[in-house]
């Protein structure tokens, strides 16, 4: 699993760093210029490919154990995802905060994207508790899995819209 995840992460880095040259025309002057733009929107790349690549071992273990246990939640199933997400949320965030030199201040550039991803993170934990402890204790039902999976494109779409500036004054970024 580790070798596959490492190869996958390398491929993702190559894909997300791809750039292209685009000729932009000035409609008023009638002139144009060549600019270099990234192919992937950074928010979409981070939420999809980078997140999938960094969580691939946990996702693979989760899928294997859910199918092996007949869709019963126990052992390494959902616990691998929750544990990894909790580590990423708390430990990595703490290291990033501690790495800021004394006297320096850092600010979140895209506050609307941050608010979207933070809200969805909290919702994900609450949703997991509800489906695994309230709706069908210790059993993962197909509809729960499908609905959980469908939340992901919703997250990516809402974060992309926030990244484009639609939630912060209507200014659309190019």
């Amino acid at each position: 699993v580790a070798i596959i995840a490492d190869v996958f992460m390398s491929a993702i880095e190559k894909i997300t760093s791809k750039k292209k040259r685009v000729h932009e025309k000035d409609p008023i002057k009638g002139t144009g210029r060549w600019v270099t733009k990234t192919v992937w929107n950074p928010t979409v790349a981070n939420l999809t490919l980078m997140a999938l690549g960094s969580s691939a071992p946990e996702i693979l273990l989760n899928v294997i154990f859910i199918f092996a246990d007949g869709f019963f939640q126990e052992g390494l199933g959902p616990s691998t995802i929750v544990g990894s997400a909790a580590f990423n949320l708390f430990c990595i965030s703490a290291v990033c905060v501690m790495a800021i030199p004394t006297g320096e201040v850092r600010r979140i550039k895209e506050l609307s994207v941050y608010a979207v991803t933070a809200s969805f993170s909290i919702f994900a934990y609450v949703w997991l508790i509800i489906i695994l402890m309230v709706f069908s204790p210790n059993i993962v039902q197909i509809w729960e899995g499908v609905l959980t999976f469908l939340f992901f494109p919703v997250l990516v779409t809402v974060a992309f819209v926030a990244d484009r500036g639609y939630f912060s004054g209507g200014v659309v970024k190019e």
Side-chain angles (χ1 to χ4, degrees), residues 71-74 78-79 82 124-141 143-144 148:
F71 288 85
F72 284 95
Q73 170 262 318
E74 55 188 9
S79 303
V82 173
Y125 282 112
V126 172
W127 174 248
L128 194 61
I129 290 169
I130 290 170
I131 64 172
L132 293 178
M133 298 179 90
V134 176
F135 290 152
S136 55
N138 298 327
I139 299 174
V140 178
Q141 296 185 11
W143 72 268
E144 295 169 339
T148 301

Side-chain angles (χ1 to χ4, degrees), residues 32 97 101 162:
V97 169

Side-chain angles (χ1 to χ4, degrees), residues 86-158:
F87 178 82
N88 291 343
L89 182 64
F90 297 118
C91 296
I92 294 175
S93 298
V95 169
C96 290
V97 169
M98 295 300 296
I100 298 173
T102 305
E104 286 191 25
V105 176
R106 304 286 164 88
R107 302 208 188 306
I108 298 170
K109 281 185 184 177
E110 303 294 336
L111 199 54
S112 58
V113 174
Y114 175 77
V116 167
T117 55
S119 300
F120 268 83
S121 295
I122 293 167
F123 171 75
Y125 282 112
V126 172
W127 174 248
L128 194 61
I129 290 169
I130 290 170
I131 64 172
L132 293 178
M133 298 179 90
V134 176
F135 290 152
S136 55
N138 298 327
I139 299 174
V140 178
Q141 296 185 11
I142 298 294
W143 72 268
E144 295 169 339
V146 170
L147 190 56
T148 301
F149 182 76
L150 291 176
F151 288 141
F152 183 66
V154 172
L155 163 64
V156 173
T157 303
V158 173

Side-chain angles (χ1 to χ4, degrees), residues 1 5 8 12 47-67 76-82 84-85 88 149 152:
V1 173
F8 189 58
I12 287 171
L47 287 175
T48 55
L49 298 175
M50 297 302 279
L52 179 62
S54 64
S55 298
E58 296 90 14
I59 293 170
L60 187 58
L61 281 173
N62 188 15
V63 170
I64 290 169
F65 277 97
I66 288 292
F67 278 100
L76 290 176
S79 303
T80 58
I81 302 293
V82 173
S84 174
N88 291 343
F149 182 76
F152 183 66

